[in-house]
Amino acid sequence: MSETTKAQQDYQKRMAKERGRFESVTQVHDLPPIFHYWSNKYIRPMVEEFGFSQAGEFFAKFLAAAAERVGGSPVFLSLGAGNCDTEVQTAQLLRKAGLTDFVIECLELNPEMLKRGKELATSSGLGTNLAFIEGDFNRWKADKQYTAIFANQALHHVLELEH
């Protein structure tokens, strides 16, 4: 077996394991107590100086600024969107700020997580603001330009960061 074929097979096994690991995980942000202690004691005070206490607030502020600079109907991309909780929160904040004609495309490897994200978006009244793309962002190629691209707790899944 060639090195290329073996590498491809290894990659496919890794991706199957990743899909299986998160297939039934509904609380992806359910982190251990040490995370909350550390982030609330050290990180939260620093970001609150800039007016944020949650990731969605940070993303909404800068996505809205990008939309204003670009104009038109912005299209944003979220890499490794998971169950789309942050994307739904961000969309709600964008709407609250007066931006209604936008789309956040949620790129996610796991079809079960995307399904939960779509259900959450629909039940939150955001069905027209979120779109869902099943794909591996390590291999995925964009077919358009985006107003802005963001990732929340997903970059640890990047295999070749330089790519």
Side-chain angles (χ1 to χ4, degrees):
M1 177 183 321
S2 74
E3 285 296 317
T4 304
T5 303
K6 183 175 179 348
Q8 289 171 340
Q9 287 177 345
D10 289 347
Y11 184 77
Q12 292 306 319
K13 285 179 188 175
R14 183 176 179 175
M15 291 302 100
K17 186 177 179 181
E18 181 77 7
R19 281 189 291 274
R21 160 75 175 89
F22 288 99
E23 188 172 67
S24 61
V25 176
T26 58
Q27 298 298 320
V28 293
H29 303 294
D30 192 13
L31 299 169
I34 190 64
F35 167 83
H36 298 291
Y37 168 80
W38 188 83
S39 64
N40 285 322
K41 182 168 175 123
Y42 298 104
I43 302 298
R44 190 177 198 152
M46 288 189 293
V47 298
E48 284 179 341
E49 289 181 27
F50 298 99
F52 314 112
S53 60
Q54 298 177 356
E57 296 168 335
F58 172 83
F59 293 132
K61 178 177 180 172
F62 290 104
L63 294 178
E68 188 175 319
R69 279 192 309 276
V70 173
S73 300
V75 179
F76 308 112
L77 176 66
S78 174
L79 299 173
N83 291 328
C84 307
D85 338 52
T86 300
E87 292 72 14
V88 166
Q89 179 194 31
T90 301
Q92 289 169 328
L93 291 167
L94 287 171
R95 281 184 150 192
K96 187 176 177 182
L99 184 62
T100 57
D101 186 22
F102 67 91
V103 173
I104 299 174
E105 292 184 2
C106 302
L107 177 62
E108 172 56 44
L109 173 71
N110 194 307
E112 292 301 315
M113 295 183 95
L114 274 180
K115 181 180 174 188
R116 288 191 290 272
K118 188 172 189 173
E119 290 167 0
L120 178 61
T122 301
S123 69
S124 300
L126 297 164
T128 60
N129 293 114
L130 273 77
F132 306 90
I133 304 167
E134 183 182 338
D136 174 5
F137 68 66
N138 285 293
R139 303 273 192 248
W140 181 80
K141 302 280 187 214
D143 61 359
K144 66 176 128 245
Q145 284 194 320
Y146 289 91
T147 307
I149 299 172
F150 64 106
N152 183 50
Q153 297 184 9
L155 294 180
H156 59 282
H157 296 287
V158 174
L159 296 178
E160 298 171 359
L161 191 55
E162 296 79 13
H163 170 74

